[in-house]
C-alpha cells in the first residue's frame, strides 16, 4: 500500500473509534450473564496482589478485568523462601498460595474492590472437592464479584491442585459441583502439565463452566549448583513468563476449535503483540501475569500497543481477530 | 527517565553506578531500594529487575547512586552499560531506616555489599556519634568504603576474611570485640542473612535496639507477588513483604533464615 | 576457606587429574555392554548433523558420544519452510525428520563415522511399531554403532511419534520389540508433552531399555501476527533451548529416584553449569542440542566449564555428583 | 575476535556495521554471509545468531562491513551496540556468487535489503559492464547505495514504492522496463523471495542465466539443523541447505517460496 493511501485510511480510523471490547459468553444464563469487558486484558491471579499495589502506578479500571490472588478456605502462610527463581526468559515460583483465607477475603479484601469499576474475578484453590464447595458457597451472591476462577492447576501444593487438574473426570466433578452452587461467571483454570489439555477443557465445558483459562504454570525446578540442592525451598515450582508462551499459544490454538466456550489465554504475555498472538490463536481474553511484576504499568502500555496494531492493520473491532489464525 | 552518568569499578568486581533522573515519585530515604531493569531493547533475559539499595542521593544535582557487586548475569550486563544509557528504574521502594535515634551512639555493621545502604544512612545521621564495623573478603574491597565513611567523620573498623586488617575474620567478630567497650544506643546492620541473625541475637541479648536490612530474592519489588515474604515474630504471624514492609525491619521483627 | 588453603588444595587437584568419565550401565548384558564415556556430553539428535559440520570447528572426539540426526525407514524431505521460529530464550523447530532413510544412512553416513573414535548412537523414528522393528533389524550388528536412541517423542509428525510416546503401554511394546532384535545399547527418548513422564520412563525400563533420554521438545507454536497465521509452515513445532531447561531438570529430578536405569538429561543446556545442574538432578549423561546451533564449539567450551566447576568444588570424580541434589 | 569500529545509520532504519577482525578462517567472497550473535554477556534472548551478507571487505585493513535494516529485536539490539564492543561472529559461511561471468554485460537486481550482497560483488566484477536495478520504499533508503555503486562506476536505476523516482514501483518492474533494450549476459539478484521468483521466471524465459541469493530463516547457519532447506529442482530432489549449498543458487536451481 502506498504511504498516502495508508495515511488517508488512518484519517478515518483513529484511536477514538477503535473498539477493543470483547464479550466472554456465558453458557448458563445466556446473554444476561455474559462478561463484557472494555478490552481483553485480565490480570493473572497471584501476580497483581489485590489491586492496591498496582493502583499506585495507574488506574486499574483501564483493564478489562481483575483477578485476585488465589484464596483457600483457611489462611495460609505459603511456602518457605526462596520462593522464586529466575530462569532464561522465565521465572519459577512456589509461593504456595499465601493468602488470608476466604473469610478474611470477604471481610477485608472484597470491600476494597468496591473502589474499582472493572469486573473482579476471585481465584479459588482447594485441596478437596469439599474445599471448592465451601469456597463457592461463601462467594455465591457476592455482588462485588463478576465471577470466580477455579484454579485446578496450582502445581505447588502437594496432593492438591495438580491432581484435580490433570484428571478430566475430576475437573468435570468439581466444576459441576461449583456450577450448582455459584451463579456468577465461572472460569476453570487449567494446568499445562498434561498430555492433552483439550480433554480437561472439554470436561470443564461439559460440566457447565462459562470459560476456561489456560495456562497456569509449567511444573519446573532449578538447582543451585554451588549448594548442590534445589534453589526453591519447595523444590518444585511453576514456570511462567515469556519462556512458556509458545506452549500456551499452542494449547489455546489446539483447544479453540474443540470448545464452544471462550478461552482466557495466558502465559508469557509481555506486549500488545503477544495479546494479539493469543487472540489469533483463539483466546477471547488474555491474562497478564509475570509482566506486571516487571513492568507495573504493563497494562496501559499493552493497551496502547494493541491500538497501534489495530491502526496498522485497519482493524476496527478487536474481537474480529479471535481465532483468525486458524 | 534515568540516565547513566557513571558506571565504574571502585573495587574488585564492585561498581559505582550514578544515574541522573528527571523526576522521582519521592526523594529516597536511607534503606530505600530501587529496582533496575538490566536487559535492554526488549531482550527477555534476564527477565526480572535487579534490586539495589540507595547508596547516595543528591537532590540538587538529581543524582542517585548505587554500589553493586558483579554476581551473575544481571550485574554483569549492568556493569557493561555505558554512560548515556537510559535505564528503566522503579523506586524508591520499600520501607526505609528510621532516623529517630539520631543523636545517640550508633553502630553500623556491614557485611560485604551490606555496606551499600549504610552510607546514605550515615550521611543522614551526621549529628550522631557513629562507628562502622565493616567486613569483606579482602582489603581491596574495603578501600573505597573506608574513604567514603571517613569523609563523613565516621570511625571505621575493618576486617577481612582473607588477610589480617584489624582482625582476620568477619564484621560480626570485629563488632563483638568492641561491643563491651563501646556499647551503642542503636545499631543498623546489613549483610548476609546469617550474619544478620547473629548480630540480632547479640544485640537483643545485650538489650540493644536497632534495624536491619534484608536481601530477599524478589519477584516484583512492589508487593504484588509475595516472593519476598518474611515470617513475622509478631503475634498475628502475618508475613511481611521484604519489598514493602521491608527491606528494613526492626531487630527481632522477622525470622531470619539462612 | 582462606585463600591460601584453597590454593594449596588446588595444587593437588589439577586439570590433569580430574576424572570426567561416566558410565551408562546396561540393564541387559551387565558390565560388558555398559556405555563408558570420557565425559557426560552427548550431542542431541538433529542439532549436530552427522558430525561432519561440527568437525570443521573442533575435534568431536572430545565429546562423550555422538547421536546422529533422526532416521526413518524411508527417505523424507521434511516439512515445508519456515521450519524454525525463534522465541524468548528458545526455538521452535518443525524440521519434520528430513533424512535420507535408513538404507542410505547405513550406506553413506555410517561409514563416515568410522573416522571418529567416540561412541556413535543412531536416533531412530517411526510411524508404526513395524517401522521401529525394521529400523532395529537394519541396525542390529552394525559395528559402527554403540547403540540406538528410540525417538518416541518427535512432536512434528502427525499420527506418529507423539502418540507412542505419551502412552506407557506403547512405549513398553515398542521398546520390548526393539530390545528383542537389537543387542547394542538402547536409549528410549521420551516426550515431555505428558502428564507424568515417570510412567513412560518406567515403561521403557520395564521393557528392557538400557537408559532413557529426557526431554525431547515441548509442543509449541508461534503466530505471525502480521500475516495472521502460524509462523511455521507445519503450524506446530517443538520448543527447545534454555527456555525449557527448568521443565527438563524437573523431569529428570522426578524420575531419578524411580528408575534403576541411567538418565540422559537434556533440554536447554548452554553451559557447564547447566550440565552440572542436570547431573545433580540425576542425569548420568547430558545432551547438548540447540546450543550447538548457536555456538558450534559449545562442546569443548562446556567441558572446560565443567572442569572449572570441579576445581572450584574440589570434585575429583564427576560421576560422584549424579543425583546429589536429592 | 571481532570489534565494532562503526555502527551508524546510513538511511532510515538502515545501519552500516564495520568490524575489525584479527583473523578469519578464509577471506570472504561476495555472497558469503556471517552469523552474528547480538545478545551480549550471557543473555539468552535473542537466542539465535543473525545472518548478514558481506557488504564490503578490506583485507589490508582487516575490516568486514555489513548493511542491515532494523527489523525486530535482534537488529534493534545490534543497532545500539557501541564502537569497541566485541562481537561473537561466525563466518564467512555459505556458498558465494560465482564470478566466472566477469567481463560480460551484467545486471544486478536488488529489492530492499537485497542490495546488501551486491556491492562487494560489483566491486569484484569491476571489469564487467554492470547495471544496477534497485528498488526500495523511498528515496531516502536508496541514497547511500546509489552513491556507493556510482563510486564503482555502476550504472544505477532506482525505483521506489512510495514516491516516483525513475518509476514508482518495484525493482522488478524497473528491470523489466530495460530488459529488452539492454539484455544482460548474466544476472545477480537478491531480495524478497517473491521478487526473486519473478526475476527468475523472466530471466529463464529470456534464456538469461544468473544467480540469486535467498534469505531463509536459519537455525544454525552451519548446516547442522536443516532449518533452511530449499527444495531442489534437480533430479535427485535432494534438499539444499541455504546456509551451506546456498544462500547463492543458480537461477532455476531451487524452488522459491513465498
Ligand atoms: C532490597 C535489596 C537491596 C540490595 N542492594 C544491593 C546493593 O546495594 N548492592 C549490591 O551489590 N547488591 C544488592 N542487593 C543484591 C542484588 O540485588 C543481587 O546481587 C543481584 O540481584 C544479583 O543479580 P545477578 O543477575 O547478577 O545474579 P544472579 O545470581 O544471576 O541472579 C539470579 C536471580 O537471583 C536474584 N538474586 C541473586 N542474588 C541476590 C541477592 N543477594 N539478593 C536478592 N536477590 C538476589 C537476582 O535478583 C535474580 O533474580 C540487594 C538486594 C535486595 C533484595
Ligand atoms: C543469508 C542471509 C543474509 C542476510 N543478509 C542481510 C543483510 O545483509 N542485511 C540485512 O539487513 N538483512 C539480511 N538478512 C536478513 C536478516 O538476517 C534479518 O533481517 C534479521 O535476522 C532480522 O532479525 P531481527 O531479530 O531484527 O528480526 P526478528 O523478526 O525479530 O527475528 C526473528 C527471527 O527470524 C529471523 N528472521 C527475520 N527476518 C529474516 C529474514 N529476512 N531472513 C532470515 N531470517 C529472518 C531472525 O534471524 C530471527 O531468528 C539476511 C538473511 C540471510 C538468511
Ligand atoms: C508469583 C505468581 C503467583 C501466582 N499465583 C497464582 C494463584 O494464586 N492462582 C492461580 O490460578 N495462578 C497463579 N499464578 C499463575 C498465573 O496466574 C499465570 O497463570 C501464569 O503465571 C502464566 O502467566 P504469565 O506467564 O503471564 O505469568 C501465579 C503466578 C505467579 C508468577
Ligand atoms: C533442529 C532440531 C532438530 C531435532 N531433531 C531431532 C531428531 O531428529 N530426533 C530426536 O530425537 N530429537 C530431535 N530434536 C530434539 C533434540 O535432540 C533435543 O531433545 C531437544 O532439542 C532439547 O534439547 P536442547 O534444548 O538442548 O536442544 C531436534 C531438535 C532441534 C532443535
Ligand atoms: S518481591 Fe513481589 S511482593 Fe515482594
Ligand atoms: S540453518 Fe541450520 S542447516 Fe542451514
Amino acid at each position: 500500500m502506498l504511504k498516502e493511501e495508508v495515511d488517508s485510511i488512518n484519517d478515518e480510523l483513529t484511536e477514538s473509534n477503535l473498539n477493543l471490547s470483547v464479550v466472554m459468553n456465558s453458557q448458563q444464563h445466556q446473554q444476561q450473564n455474559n462478561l463484557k469487558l472494555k478490552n481483553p486484558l485480565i490480570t493473572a491471579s497471584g501476580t497483581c496482589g489485590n489491586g492496591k499495589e498496582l493502583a499506585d502506578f495507574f488506574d486499574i479500571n483501564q483493564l478489562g478485568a481483575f483477578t485476585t490472588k488465589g484464596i483457600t478456605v483457611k489462611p495460609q502462610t505459603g511456602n518457605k523462601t526462596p520462593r522464586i527463581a529466575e530462569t532464561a526468559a522465565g521465572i519459577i515460583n512456589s509461593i504456595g498460595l499465601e493468602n488470608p483465607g476466604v473469610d478474611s477475603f470477604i471481610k477485608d479484601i472484597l470491600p476494597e474492590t468496591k473502589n474499582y469499576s472493572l469486573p473482579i474475578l476471585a481465584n479459588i484453590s482447594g485441596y478437596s472437592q469439599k474445599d471448592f464447595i465451601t469456597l463457592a458457597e461463601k462467594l455465591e451472591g457476592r455482588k462485588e464479584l463478576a465471577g470466580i476462577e477455579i484454579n485446578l492447576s496450582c502445581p505447588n501444593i502437594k496432593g492438591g491442585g495438580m491432581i484435580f487438574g490433570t484428571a478430566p473426570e475430576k475437573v468435570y466433578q468439581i466444576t459441576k459441583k461449583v456450577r450448582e452452587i455459584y451463579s456468577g461467571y465461572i472460569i476453570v483454570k487449567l494446568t499445562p502439565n498434561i498430555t492433552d489439555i483439550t480433554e480437561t477443557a472439554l470436561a470443564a465445558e461439559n460440566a457447565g463452566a462459562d470459560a476456561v483459562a489456560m495456562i497456569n504454570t509449567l511444573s519446573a525446578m532449578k538447582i543451585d549448583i554451588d549448594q548442590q540442592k534445589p534453589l526453591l525451598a519447595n523444590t518444585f515450582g511453576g514456570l511462567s513468563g515469556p519462556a512458556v508462551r509458545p506452549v500456551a499459544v499452542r494449547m489455546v490454538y489446539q483447544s479453540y476449535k474443540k470448545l464452544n466456550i471462550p478461552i482466557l489465554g495466558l502465559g508469557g504475555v509481555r506486549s500488545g503483540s503477544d495479546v494479539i498472538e493469543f487472540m489469533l490463536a483463539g483466546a477471547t481474553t488474555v491474562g497478564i501475569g509475570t509482566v506486571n511484576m516487571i513492568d507495573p504499568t504493563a497494562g496501559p502500555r499493552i493497551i496502547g500497543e494493541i491500538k497501534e496494531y489495530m491502526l496498522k492493520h485497519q482493524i476496527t473491532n478487536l474481537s474480529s481477530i479471535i481465532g483468525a489464525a486458524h | 527517565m534515568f540516565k547513566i552518568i557513571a558506571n565504574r569499578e571502585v573495587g574488585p568486581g564492585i561498581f559505582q553506578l550514578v544515574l541522573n533522573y528527571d523526576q522521582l515519585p519521592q526523594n529516597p530515604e536511607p534503606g530505600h531500594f530501587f529496582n533496575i531493569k538490566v536487559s535492554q531493547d526488549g531482550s527477555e533475559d534476564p527477565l526480572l529487575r535487579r534490586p539495589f539499595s540507595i547508596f547516595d542521593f543528591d537532590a540538587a544535582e538529581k543524582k542517585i547512586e548505587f554500589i553493586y557487586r558483579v554476581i551473575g548475569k544481571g550485574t554483569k550486563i549492568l556493569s557493561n552499560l555505558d554512560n548515556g544509557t537510559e535505564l528503566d528504574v522503579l523506586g524508591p521502594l520499600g520501607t526505609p531506616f528510621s532516623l529517630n535515634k539520631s543523636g545517640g551512639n550508633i553502630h553500623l555493621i556491614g557485611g560485604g555489599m551490606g555496606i551499600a545502604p549504610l552510607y546514605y544512612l550515615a550521611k543522614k545521621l551526621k549529628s550522631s556519634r557513629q562507628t562502622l564495623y565493616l567486613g569483606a573478603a579482602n582489603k581491596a574491597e574495603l578501600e573505597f568504603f573506608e574513604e567514603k565513611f571517613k569523609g563523613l567523620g565516621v570511625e571505621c573498623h575493618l576486617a577481612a576474611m582473607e588477610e589480617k586488617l584489624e582482625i582476620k575474620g568477619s564484621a560480626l567478630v570485629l563488632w563483638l570485640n568492641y561491643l563491651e567497650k563501646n556499647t551503642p544506643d542503636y545499631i543498623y546492620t546489613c549483610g548476609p542473612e546469617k550474619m544478620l541473625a547473629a548480630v540480632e541475637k547479640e544485640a537483643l541479648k545485650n538489650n540493644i535496639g536497632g534495624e536491619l536490612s534484608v536481601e530477599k530474592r524478589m519477584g516484583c519489588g512492589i508487593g504484588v507477588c509475595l516472593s519476598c515474604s518474611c515470617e513475622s515474630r509478631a503475634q498475628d504471624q502475618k508475613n511481611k513483604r521484604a519489598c514493602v514492609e521491608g527491606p528494613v525491619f526492626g531487630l527481632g521483627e522477622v525470622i531470619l533464615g539462612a
Side-chain angles (χ1 to χ4, degrees), chain A, chain B:
Chain A
M1 215 178 305
L2 295 178
K3 206 178 178 181
E4 297 96 288
E5 281 174 42
V6 175
D7 287 345
S8 79
I9 298 178
N10 282 354
D11 279 346
E12 289 157 46
L13 192 64
T14 61
E15 276 232 9
S16 59
N17 50 32
L18 296 178
N19 182 357
L20 275 71
S21 70
V22 291
V23 179
M24 292 192 89
N25 290 326
S26 162
Q27 262 208 79
Q28 301 305 308
H29 314 272
Q30 317 304 346
Q31 301 265 357
Q32 81 266 23
N33 226 24
N34 285 350
L35 207 58
K36 296 190 189 82
L37 309 182
K38 65 177 110 32
N39 64 59
L41 288 198
I42 302 185
T43 59
S45 178
T47 61
C48 296
N50 289 316
K52 264 204 317 267
E53 293 82 5
L54 283 190
D56 284 354
F57 291 91
F58 70 98
D59 176 7
I60 64 169
N61 295 308
Q62 291 176 54
L63 299 171
F66 192 93
T67 314
T68 59
K69 167 73 191 161
I71 47 168
T72 49
V73 174
K74 298 249 172 66
Q76 292 191 178
T77 53
N79 292 322
K80 294 240 176 283
T81 57
R83 296 178 174 186
I84 187 156
E86 197 187 42
T87 65
I91 56 174
I92 316 178
N93 88 81
S94 61
I95 307 302
L97 284 172
E98 173 175 341
N99 82 97
V102 64
D103 292 331
S104 164
F105 176 79
I106 291 171
K107 196 164 70 66
D108 306 324
I109 297 171
L110 266 193
E112 283 180 15
T113 63
K114 279 193 180 140
N115 304 328
Y116 307 132
S117 61
L118 82 175
I120 306 288
L121 301 161
N123 179 275
I124 60 170
S125 287
Y127 300 90
S128 62
Q129 187 164 304
K130 200 167 138 260
D131 279 1
F132 284 104
I133 293 172
T134 307
L135 290 160
E137 283 169 352
K138 299 215 177 200
L139 295 175
E140 167 57 13
R142 295 284 155 196
K143 294 262 161 51
E144 302 93 333
L145 294 176
I148 57 175
E149 182 176 64
I150 308 178
N151 175 13
L152 290 177
S153 41
C154 179
N156 297 327
I157 293 176
K158 291 179 194 102
M162 179 79 167
I163 285 157
F164 303 136
T166 53
E169 56 292 356
K170 274 282 172 193
V171 171
Y172 180 87
Q173 279 169 28
I174 290 170
T175 307
K176 182 115 191 158
K177 283 285 175 205
V178 172
R179 176 78 285 172
E180 281 162 14
I181 298 161
Y182 187 74
S183 60
Y185 202 83
I186 297 180
I187 301 172
V188 175
K189 188 164 177 184
L190 300 170
T191 176
N193 301 299
I194 191 167
T195 307
D196 183 358
I197 200 166
T198 68
E199 289 182 4
T200 45
L202 280 168
E205 172 172 321
N206 292 336
D210 294 311
V212 288
M214 56 178 75
I215 60 170
N216 208 312
T217 54
L218 278 165
S219 177
M221 81 180 289
K222 183 169 176 170
I223 291 173
D224 181 327
I225 63 164
D226 288 319
Q227 309 271 335
Q228 303 200 334
K229 63 179 181 74
L231 195 150
L232 297 174
N234 189 51
T235 304
F236 303 113
L239 182 66
S240 65
V244 309
R245 196 170 69 244
V247 174
V249 171
R250 184 261 297 178
M251 290 184 167
V252 171
Y253 189 95
Q254 276 185 321
S255 304
Y256 176 65
K257 291 244 159 152
K258 296 204 181 166
L259 294 180
N260 291 306
I261 57 176
I263 300 172
L264 160 47
L266 78 167
V269 168
R270 278 298 305 270
S271 67
S273 304
D274 303 338
V275 172
I276 300 297
E277 185 177 19
F278 271 105
M279 295 185 78
L280 290 169
T284 299
T285 49
V286 177
I288 48 171
T290 303
V291 66
N292 297 291
M293 295 165 54
I294 304 156
D295 299 327
T297 55
R301 168 177 58 79
I302 290 174
I303 292 170
E305 290 163 351
I306 294 172
K307 287 180 180 165
E308 275 172 38
Y309 176 87
M310 292 174 74
L311 287 175
K312 181 174 164 202
H313 289 270
Q314 298 291 303
I315 295 163
T316 316
N317 289 305
L318 184 56
S319 60
S320 68
I321 70 164
I322 298 167
H326 286 261
Chain B
M1 214 270 291
F2 297 80
K3 194 180 252 167
I4 299 181
I5 57 176
N7 192 15
R8 59 177 157 248
E9 198 163 1
V10 295
I14 300 174
F15 284 73
Q16 178 188 37
L17 174 71
V18 189
L19 306 181
N20 230 160
Y21 63 87
D22 53 10
Q23 84 193 53
L24 283 176
Q26 72 178 92
N27 281 350
E29 295 292 319
H32 269 139
F33 71 96
F34 288 74
N35 220 352
I36 301 184
K37 194 148 186 301
V38 294
S39 51
Q40 307 295 315
D41 291 321
S43 171
E44 315 277 21
D45 183 58
L47 190 61
L48 295 176
R49 290 169 184 270
R50 295 296 186 262
F52 301 102
S53 300
I54 182 87
F55 179 78
D56 201 359
F57 174 65
D58 185 332
E61 300 217 4
K62 297 198 159 213
K63 287 199 311 200
I64 49 177
E65 193 172 323
F66 305 93
I67 298 286
Y68 65 93
R69 183 198 294 278
V70 173
I71 296 286
K73 189 152 60 175
T75 46
K76 174 86 197 149
I77 289 175
L78 184 59
S79 72
N80 277 332
L81 296 180
D82 292 319
N83 284 353
T85 307
E86 284 183 22
L87 282 186
D88 178 353
V89 179
L90 280 182
L93 301 171
T95 298
F97 290 113
S98 72
L99 303 175
N100 50 9
K101 294 297 155 129
S102 186
N105 178 16
I106 286 173
H107 284 188
L108 307 171
I109 307 146
M113 291 311 294
I115 188 66
L118 300 181
Y119 178 71
Y120 184 43
L121 174 69
K123 219 171 170 179
K124 287 273 186 163
L125 291 174
K126 241 181 156 170
S127 62
S128 321
R129 177 183 162 207
Q130 298 180 62
T131 319
L132 171 69
Y133 303 91
L134 182 60
N138 52 50
K139 191 157 175 272
E141 292 189 1
L142 292 163
E143 280 166 350
F144 173 81
F145 302 104
E146 183 179 14
E147 197 176 309
K148 285 292 253 182
F149 279 84
K150 283 200 166 146
L152 294 179
V154 172
E155 184 184 326
C156 293
H157 297 282
L158 308 178
M161 298 302 284
E162 296 170 358
E163 58 195 306
K164 185 166 188 305
L165 302 180
E166 203 164 317
I167 60 160
K168 186 167 180 172
S170 69
L172 172 73
V173 176
L174 182 67
W175 176 59
L176 293 179
N177 285 349
Y178 281 92
L179 191 52
E180 261 182 64
K181 290 170 266 179
N182 172 12
T183 308
D185 299 320
Y186 207 70
I187 65 166
Y188 295 97
T189 182
C190 182
E193 231 169 290
K194 266 192 190 142
M195 169 195 132
L196 296 184
V199 169
E200 182 183 74
K201 201 175 138 200
E202 285 300 326
L204 294 179
K205 202 170 74 186
N206 292 286
N207 273 312
I208 304 164
E211 292 162 40
L212 50 83
S213 176
V214 294
E215 286 186 10
K216 277 271 170 197
R217 282 179 185 258
M218 291 185 173
C220 67
I222 56 166
V224 296
C225 76
L226 307 186
S227 295
C228 64
S229 283
C230 299
E231 284 178 75
S232 169
R233 283 223 182 84
Q235 282 276 300
D236 69 359
Q237 291 195 330
K238 267 198 189 157
N239 287 347
K240 307 216 168 188
R241 293 165 297 183
C243 68
V244 175
E245 288 80 40
V248 172
F249 293 108
L251 296 186
E253 194 178 346
V254 296
I255 298 172
L256 296 168

